[in-house]
Amino acid sequence: MLYLDPDDIISQSFHHTEVPLPEWEVDIPHWRSYVQHFFAASGEPLSEKDEQVNAWISSNERAAFSDMVATLLPHLAPVVQPQRVKTVLMAHWTPDLHMGSSVVNLAIHQLGLSDCLALAISDRGPDAALFALDGLRDCLHGKAEDGLLLIAEQKSLMYSSPLMERLQPENNACLCLVNTQQRGLRYLGYQRLKTSTDFSETILQSVEHFGLARERLILIGPEKCLANLHESFTTFAVNPRLLCAAPFVALRENWQPGRDYLLMSEHNGWISLCGMSAAENPI
């Protein structure tokens, strides 16, 4: 079985990780061509007002996934046993600032890992990290191994995005070490459900599905979802600007021994849920 100790969650928000350099301006035609072809490949026009390459090049808020993850890895390294970690998954919603970088390879090299399965999960919306956590359970099933979940988001794009303007994401990264050594919260699984008018009933069905006890349950998710629950539920609202990392950061900041948890994300009329129980609690 898979476990996640909240103490093995490391996270941080970043204002920036690199200062723009004047010599980068010579690359503006290259990146302008790139983004125009990117839109054309998707069958979408890119208007002059929506192209933001100049602002992207000169932004003082640039933060690359690799830079943020590299900053956090030394804080997680003391609890990582390199010989046990054979799976590294990366999850994100926003695209990386740098084209073609490999964040999973950076983590593997910096932690001295070997013979790792390494994948990235993206373009799912805010539940990419919850889905990746379930993927780690599949990868580690029946193995005496641990796994590493990398999560990162950044705010700088080469083009205007109404979605990004609405989300207002923070540059942030979060690292989670999962284990099969029965340390921390026991992972119970993943659900993706259509939202309904009776949100409390939907959550109660999920509680029953995972075999959780309502009296010791804490729900962690978007405030707009939690507001639709009966007052009898104990809840913690996430910071929505952290996107995929939001439920994991909230778990780290608010977890209490002996409590069970539902981590939640919501997007386009669907909610994703991951169940976790205190290791001392029966399934």
Side-chain angles (χ1 to χ4, degrees):
M1 299 188 72
L2 191 69
Y3 294 78
L4 172 61
D5 187 337
D7 286 337
D8 295 342
I9 300 174
I10 306 294
S11 67
Q12 182 180 328
S13 292
F14 296 78
H15 175 60
H16 67 275
T17 65
E18 61 183 23
V19 178
L21 300 175
E23 55 262 36
W24 291 354
E25 294 182 9
V26 301
D27 294 326
I28 287 177
H30 167 80
W31 291 116
R32 182 168 289 133
S33 175
Y34 168 85
V35 72
Q36 288 170 348
H37 282 84
F38 174 72
F39 269 70
S42 302
E44 298 286 341
L46 178 64
S47 68
E48 185 175 338
K49 70 179 180 64
D50 288 335
E51 183 259 289
Q52 298 181 347
V53 171
N54 282 36
W56 179 78
I57 285 283
S58 60
S59 173
N60 287 315
E61 296 183 301
R62 295 169 60 92
F65 289 175
S66 56
D67 290 336
M68 293 188 287
V69 168
T71 299
L72 296 186
L73 283 171
H75 300 283
L76 188 66
V79 296
V80 173
Q81 301 177 52
Q83 72 279 8
R84 288 187 56 89
V85 178
K86 301 297 181 184
T87 306
V88 181
L89 298 188
M90 172 78 195
H92 60 102
W93 186 2
T94 57
D96 198 350
L97 177 71
H98 291 163
M99 304 300 118
S101 62
S102 178
V103 187
V104 286
N105 286 347
L106 166 83
I108 289 168
H109 175 74
Q110 191 165 328
L111 291 173
L113 310 180
S114 62
D115 301 322
C116 282
L117 169 67
L119 296 171
I121 296 172
S122 61
D123 297 326
R124 284 186 57 91
D127 82 330
L130 297 179
F131 186 73
L133 178 63
D134 199 60
L136 281 167
R137 179 181 63 167
D138 291 341
C139 292
L140 300 178
H141 178 70
K143 300 176 181 177
E145 296 177 3
D146 299 336
L148 186 61
L149 174 59
L150 315 176
I151 312 167
E153 308 284 2
Q154 62 86 30
K155 65 197 305 182
S156 300
L157 295 183
M158 298 183 219
Y159 51 88
S160 175
S161 167
L163 176 62
M164 290 284 276
E165 290 172 6
R166 186 169 74 250
L167 295 175
Q168 290 293 300
E170 293 182 12
N171 298 323
N172 78 95
C174 178
L175 313 181
C176 305
L177 178 70
V178 299
N179 71 88
T180 59
Q181 303 177 71
Q182 301 184 21
R183 186 178 73 251
L185 298 169
R186 181 192 296 116
Y187 177 71
L188 302 177
Y190 169 89
Q191 270 191 315
R192 182 171 167 83
L193 304 172
K194 191 74 174 176
T195 56
S196 65
T197 53
D198 190 344
F199 194 72
S200 292
E201 181 59 31
T202 299
I203 294 301
L204 286 173
Q205 291 174 5
S206 187
V207 169
E208 182 178 355
H209 169 79
F210 289 123
L212 299 169
R214 182 172 173 178
E215 65 272 11
R216 59 174 180 256
L217 177 66
I218 296 178
L219 283 91
I220 293 177
E223 185 174 13
K224 65 179 181 179
C225 293
L226 302 180
N228 293 323
L229 292 172
H230 295 151
E231 294 181 358
S232 58
F233 285 101
T234 301
T235 64
F236 288 118
V238 303
N239 177 355
R241 298 182 65 190
L242 300 181
L243 302 188
C244 290
F248 294 91
V249 174
L251 175 64
R252 176 65 180 88
E253 293 176 345
N254 298 290
W255 87 279
Q256 302 170 18
R259 303 300 293 263
D260 298 342
Y261 292 87
L262 270 179
L263 306 187
M264 180 193 316
S265 72
E266 185 276 333
H267 186 53
N268 288 342
W270 290 85
I271 58 171
S272 295
L273 299 147
C274 283
M276 297 183 180
S277 70
E280 64 268 25
N281 293 337
I283 299 178

